[in-house]
């Protein structure tokens, strides 16, 4: 056989296998929708076969051919008709058939329809607890013993043992099919649980991503709009007496607006999974604090930056640097919004081998609560919690406001 012929034969076999699987799946679907159809068909088929045997063929194997015909017909029906309920009530069906088989064996008819008891036995092994098989064999054994004792043919075990083996093999077949179905059901259930867990993980990840994006949007837009508002107010007052300062304010507004647009484009680029755009515009780090503070100063808020130890001597991860940057940004934004005229701010960064601390204080008035206020503080606390840090904020005893951030280093106990 050539390679091409072998491939064609394998393809034909695969096609036939798939066709058989599709046909079997359709048959199962029809049976699940209309179980009475298959039950009626099987019952009518075996009832017809039993009645054909009752018309005279039963005498070929009967020890007593003189059994009345009406009894043979009645026993044939009693051995075949219960098959209709073999799936819903297999034990009851087997009990009725066993009684008929007992009469058949005691009368000497020895009807071949007695072997139909194998069908409900299979369904008992398939769908009932294992102890149900013990009751089944208790029903099947009396007809065998009665026939062997009343009409012995050679040794009594020649009639009992082969039939018992047949019953045992059918019961084992039912157990095997049941085990396969249980295994398949377990696999399906496990796959369903895994799918549910994956859906939950996706939803949680999506919720976390939405929270992160909302926090970034709040920081970017809130801070830059506050700076623009401060610059616009200062430029309006300076326009009458110092036009050159008004021009500087307008230039600063343009610069701040462009920076805000650049950050928004970067964030939207991340949303579009644009890795190249994200790589071109990285997240802010501590190296960008000078630019941030310069913009705040231009908006009219004097800010002093104090560094205790060098950040390069104690480097932070990019995520921790972004957290410190955003907390400083949000704190200075709140000062711009609420501190009032004449306020000043101080940013103190302290680096130690165990942690980094950021202290932002101002000399303005404490903010007055208003609807929607406090979301920025919540965002800062969430950022700190991501790195096992803490954030405290509140009014100072001497007046003004204080924000304190503490981030433990990843290689140090928090």
């Amino acid at each position: 056989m050539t390679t091409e012929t072998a491939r064609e034969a394998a393809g034909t076999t695969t096609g036939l296998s798939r066709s058989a699987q599709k046909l079997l799946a359709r048959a199962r679907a029809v049976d699940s929708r209309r179980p009475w159809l298959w039950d009626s068909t099987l019952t009518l088929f075996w009832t017809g076969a039993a009645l054909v045997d009752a018309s005279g063929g039963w005498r070929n194997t009967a020890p007593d051919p003189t059994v009345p015909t009406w009894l043979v017909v009645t026993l044939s029906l009693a051995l075949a008709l219960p098959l209709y309920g073999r799936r819903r009530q297999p034990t009851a069906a087997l009990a009725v058939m066993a009684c008929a088989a007992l009469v058949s064996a005691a009368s000497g008819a020895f009807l071949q329809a007695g072997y139909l008891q194998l069908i409900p036995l299979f369904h008992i092994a398939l769908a009932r607890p294992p102890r149900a098989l013990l009751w089944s064999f208790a029903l099947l054994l009396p007809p065998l013993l009665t026939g062997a004792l009343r009409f012995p043919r050679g040794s009594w075990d020649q009639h009992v043992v082969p039939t018992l083996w047949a019953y045992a093999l059918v019961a084992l077949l039912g157990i095997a099919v049941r085990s396969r179905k249980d295994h398949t059901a377990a696999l399906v259930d496990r796959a369903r649980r895994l799918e549910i867990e994956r859906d939950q993980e996706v939803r949680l990840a999506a919720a976390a991503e939405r929270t992160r994006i909302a926090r970034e949007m709040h920081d970017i837009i809130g801070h830059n709009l506050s700076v623009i508002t401060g610059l616009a107010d200062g430029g309006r007052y300076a326009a009458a007496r110092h036009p050159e300062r008004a021009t500087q304010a307008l230039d600063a507004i343009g610069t701040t607006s462009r920076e805000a647009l650049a950050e928004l484009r970067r964030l939207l680029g991340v949303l579009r999974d644009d890795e190249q755009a994200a790589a071109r515009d990285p997240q802010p780090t501590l190296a960008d604090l000078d630019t941030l503070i310069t913009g705040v100063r231009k908006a009219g808020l004097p800010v002093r930056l104090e560094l205790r130890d060098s950040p390069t001597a104690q480097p932070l991860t990019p995520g921790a640097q972004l957290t410190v940057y955003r907390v400083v940004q949000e704190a200075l934004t709140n000062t711009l919004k609420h501190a009032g005229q004449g306020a000043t701010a101080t940013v103190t960064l302290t680096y130690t081998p165990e942690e980094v601390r950021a202290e932002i204080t101002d000399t303005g008035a404490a903010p007055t609560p208003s609807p929607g206020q406090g979301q920025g503080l919540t965002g800062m606390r969430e950022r700190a919690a991501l790195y096992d840090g803490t954030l405290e904020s509140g009014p100072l005893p001497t007046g003004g406001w204080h924000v304190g951030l503490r981030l433990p280093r990843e290689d140090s106990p928090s």
Side-chain angles (χ1 to χ4, degrees), residues 394-407:
L396 294 170
T398 58
W401 193 262
H402 165 263
V403 175
L405 169 68
R406 172 187 170 276
L407 286 184

Side-chain angles (χ1 to χ4, degrees), residues 10-70:
T12 303
T13 303
T14 303
L16 291 175
S17 176
R18 292 177 179 175
S19 299
Q21 291 178 358
K22 290 181 179 179
L23 183 61
L24 183 60
R26 290 178 182 176
R28 288 176 177 173
V30 172
D31 183 54
S32 62
R33 291 194 303 267
R34 301 181 181 86
W36 59 268
L37 183 60
W38 173 242
D39 293 340
S40 301
T41 302
L42 183 138
T43 302
L44 290 175
F45 173 79
W46 287 114
T47 300
L51 292 177
V52 168
D53 184 62
S55 64
W58 65 275
R59 292 187 176 88
N60 297 326
T61 57
D64 185 2
T66 64
V67 176
T69 303
W70 64 268

